[in-house]
Amino acid sequence: MADSTGQEPTEPGHTGAVAADPYDRIAWRDLYARSAALRELAAELAARHAHTTDLLADAFLVAYLAAPRVREAAEMAPSRRFNREVVAELAASPGYAALRRETAGDPYAAALAVLAEAPALRLLLDRTEPVREAADRAAEARRSAGRPARTAGETARQAGATAGALGAGATSADGAAGPASAPAAPAGQAASRAEAAARQALEAATPGIRAAARTATAQAVRVTREEAALMRAWGVGHGELERMPYEERARLAERLRTGRLARWAELIGRFRQMADGERARKVENATGELIGVTLGDDLSRVLPSELAHLGLPELRAVFAARYAAGELMLYDSRGEQTTGQGAVIACVDTSHSMYEEGPGGITREAWSKACALALLDQARHARRDFVGILFSAADKLQVFRFPADRPAPVERVLEFAETFLGGGTSYQRPLSAAAALLAEEFDTAARGRGDIVLITDDECGVTEQWTREWQEARHRLGFRLFGLAVGAPTATASGSVLEALCDNLRPIEDLTDVRAAADLFRLI
């Protein structure tokens, strides 16, 4: 029966188990409208169980809010006390603090956690249907208990109106209004019994709810951490993710989780971690290991015996003359070369043979692209431009430029990683393109000492004319060429073309060993 407003009376108490302000609930509604996966999950659960959309909203809010507060059971509408118990157990799960480190304040990550929790919640809902049916019966009994009292009140109001029209003595003489409230007491007793039965059913189900909540939390922690690690492996920072629209972030995550990019993620992450470690170890212009004595004019390395001459007036002129001639005795040392200042250019071979798999199912392409992406990180940390040149045959070349003064768009990075040209192998065109880029940088920004890294699995010839032009460009621009021969022992053999071209050449036979290129990140 409807009340005086024409609406069916509702049960008392809150329908949301998590106390949240309107803005937080707007975040949920906005995300729900944008996420097809959430809507599909809600529709699936709502077709079989009542009040599940409220449960999903609570599961989102308890993961999303900075300091969520789960309402007391007494504050809840009887039909939603089961939801409240589930959310309370989620929040109390041992792993929930770890989960919230990934999800607090991040609506996308909180939604991801809800979707990850879905299998455990779905199983729990199926097993506890009688508990929620008991709660619904209690809610209906409480509504029914309120109806007789409201009916009696309405009757009294009608009687009062009649009395006003007919006079004080025109009230109902047969006492019809009085007995109308008689059913209220039995109805209230029935509601109390229904609520007690619902409480007992919920208490009996609590151990199962707790176990399901722990399972759901563990699954959510695993999924959110895996996605966070995947994003970090591809160089997508947390700040960039938070600024990314939901739909774009969802598409990016799906793209990275599927196809060959997903198989590369672990390797890329290992390269990035290794490069980070090498950056931490690197000291530019290091003195290095002392290996003897040499002659020169570097006063920072002068031997103490030479400095002693300055203490004798008659020998100061001798010291000055030897300094001017560059003949002071100095400590000689062997240390790291200083890093370059110009662009870092990775020339990556994408000929057909780079598709071949090595140990652990890692392809030569995956290894080389992972190394190139770590070099992109290296360049950005040093505030140097980065250029990725993909090459194969002489007529196949694609250039990806990442200037140091602009962000590296993740879409562009993924395009660089995914592009594969196929065909044969030619060194001349990619190396000429790299030298031309360094020449452009030198002429426009007066930056020299760039670094080129050539990653290939093949040996090919170069012409004498090209070699002369290459050496002239190297002398003018002062760049270095590092060579990484992936699974190509002949390319690093004595007298090979790569050996003649490269300042620093190393073979890579074990594709699972990223440390084979470790010193590259100290030198660049």
Side-chain angles (χ1 to χ4, degrees):
M1 178 184 295
D3 61 18
S4 60
T5 65
Q7 301 293 322
E8 185 69 20
T10 57
E11 57 185 320
H14 292 282
T15 57
V18 179
D21 63 38
Y23 294 103
D24 295 324
R25 295 201 175 274
I26 288 173
W28 159 251
R29 289 195 294 271
D30 180 67
L31 193 74
Y32 184 83
R34 292 172 179 272
S35 172
L38 279 177
R39 295 195 302 274
E40 290 170 5
L41 174 61
E44 176 204 341
L45 295 180
R48 299 161 60 188
H49 310 290
H51 318 308
T52 49
T53 302
D54 287 338
L55 176 60
L56 295 180
D58 286 332
F60 169 84
L61 290 169
V62 80
Y64 172 69
L65 295 181
R69 181 181 75 82
V70 179
R71 290 189 168 101
E72 297 297 326
E75 301 177 69
M76 298 299 299
S79 63
R80 306 307 200 279
R81 285 176 185 162
F82 175 86
N83 289 359
R84 184 262 170 201
E85 193 69 20
V86 172
V87 174
E89 292 295 345
L90 282 174
S93 296
Y96 218 76
L99 175 64
R100 294 190 66 260
R101 282 194 288 272
E102 303 288 347
T103 61
D106 186 340
Y108 175 91
L112 183 64
V114 173
L115 294 171
E117 291 164 352
L121 295 179
R122 187 182 292 113
L123 183 61
L124 173 66
L125 290 169
D126 288 342
R127 290 177 175 175
T128 56
E129 182 66 25
V131 178
R132 282 169 294 103
E133 288 177 349
D136 286 340
R137 286 194 295 271
E140 178 58 32
R142 179 54 60 192
R143 286 193 291 268
S144 298
R147 289 183 187 127
R150 283 189 292 275
T151 301
E154 181 62 25
T155 302
R157 283 193 294 275
Q158 292 174 357
T162 303
L166 301 178
T171 56
S172 177
D174 60 6
S181 62
Q189 292 171 1
S192 296
R193 288 194 297 270
E195 289 176 358
R199 282 195 299 272
Q200 290 174 359
L202 186 57
E203 289 171 3
T206 295
I209 295 173
R210 182 174 300 121
R214 292 186 176 188
T215 300
T217 299
Q219 180 70 0
V221 168
R222 184 185 66 80
V223 170
T224 54
R225 281 181 173 172
E226 284 180 356
E227 180 152 316
L230 183 65
M231 294 297 179
R232 285 194 298 271
W234 284 95
V236 186
H238 186 69
E240 184 179 358
L241 287 175
E242 287 191 334
R243 293 189 299 271
M244 197 177 291
Y246 176 86
E247 295 88 344
E248 182 182 342
R249 187 168 170 181
R251 286 194 300 270
L252 173 62
E254 182 64 21
R255 184 176 179 183
L256 295 182
R257 279 195 297 262
T258 57
R260 58 199 183 112
L261 294 184
R263 298 195 301 270
W264 297 0
E266 182 184 356
L267 182 65
I268 291 169
R270 286 166 56 200
F271 258 106
R272 288 183 185 275
Q273 290 173 4
M274 182 268 293
D276 285 343
E278 295 303 325
R279 275 195 297 273
R281 293 176 53 193
K282 179 167 63 175
V283 179
E284 295 191 11
N285 300 309
T287 301
E289 176 188 1
L290 295 176
I291 59 173
V293 176
T294 187
L295 298 179
D297 59 0
D298 186 351
L299 296 177
S300 67
R301 296 190 287 135
V302 174
L303 267 61
S305 59
E306 291 277 35
L307 292 174
H309 294 164
L310 293 175
L312 300 172
E314 60 272 21
L315 293 179
R316 288 175 185 170
V318 176
F319 181 92
R322 294 179 64 186
Y323 172 65
E327 294 179 351
L328 293 175
M329 288 192 294
L330 312 176
Y331 287 117
D332 194 10
S333 63
R334 177 173 56 209
E336 302 289 1
Q337 300 178 51
T338 56
T339 58
Q341 296 174 338
V344 176
I345 302 180
C347 297
V348 181
D349 187 348
T350 59
S351 59
H352 284 311
S353 57
M354 293 291 283
Y355 245 158
E356 292 182 13
E357 290 191 355
I362 299 172
T363 64
R364 297 172 181 178
E365 180 203 13
W367 193 97
S368 61
K369 295 282 184 63
C371 183
L373 291 175
L375 287 169
L376 168 60
D377 275 359
Q378 187 82 352
R380 300 198 74 77
H381 276 84
R383 296 180 176 83
R384 301 168 66 185
D385 291 353
F386 176 82
V387 182
I389 298 179
L390 304 180
F391 71 94
S392 57
D395 60 339
K396 293 185 177 181
L397 189 88
Q398 194 159 346
V399 178
F400 296 81
R401 303 183 73 161
F402 298 92
D405 59 352
R406 278 175 265 167
V410 64
E411 286 292 328
R412 189 65 171 162
V413 172
L414 292 179
E415 185 183 356
F416 169 62
E418 289 182 312
T419 300
F420 191 86
L421 303 178
T425 304
S426 171
Y427 293 165
Q428 290 187 185
R429 190 175 177 202
L431 291 178
S432 295
L437 288 168
L438 292 177
E440 176 188 336
E441 182 182 40
F442 183 80
D443 293 338
T444 58
R447 285 198 301 268
R449 292 172 51 219
D451 291 311
I452 303 172
V453 181
L454 176 64
I455 309 175
T456 183
D457 71 339
D458 202 358
E459 169 82 342
C460 70
V462 294
T463 67
E464 184 177 342
Q465 175 64 28
W466 180 88
T467 303
R468 282 197 299 270
E469 294 171 355
W470 172 259
Q471 295 298 347
E472 290 171 2
R474 188 199 304 226
H475 179 73
R476 184 172 78 91
L477 302 173
F479 60 76
R480 297 176 295 180
L481 175 61
F482 296 84
L484 298 177
V486 184
T490 58
T492 58
S494 177
S496 68
V497 173
L498 274 183
E499 184 190 45
L501 291 176
C502 295
D503 301 287
N504 187 309
L505 175 63
R506 73 210 63 210
I508 307 298
E509 297 301 329
D510 185 355
L511 300 186
T512 63
D513 182 15
V514 300
R515 299 204 64 83
D519 60 332
L520 187 67
F521 297 92
R522 288 198 302 275
L523 299 174
I524 291 180

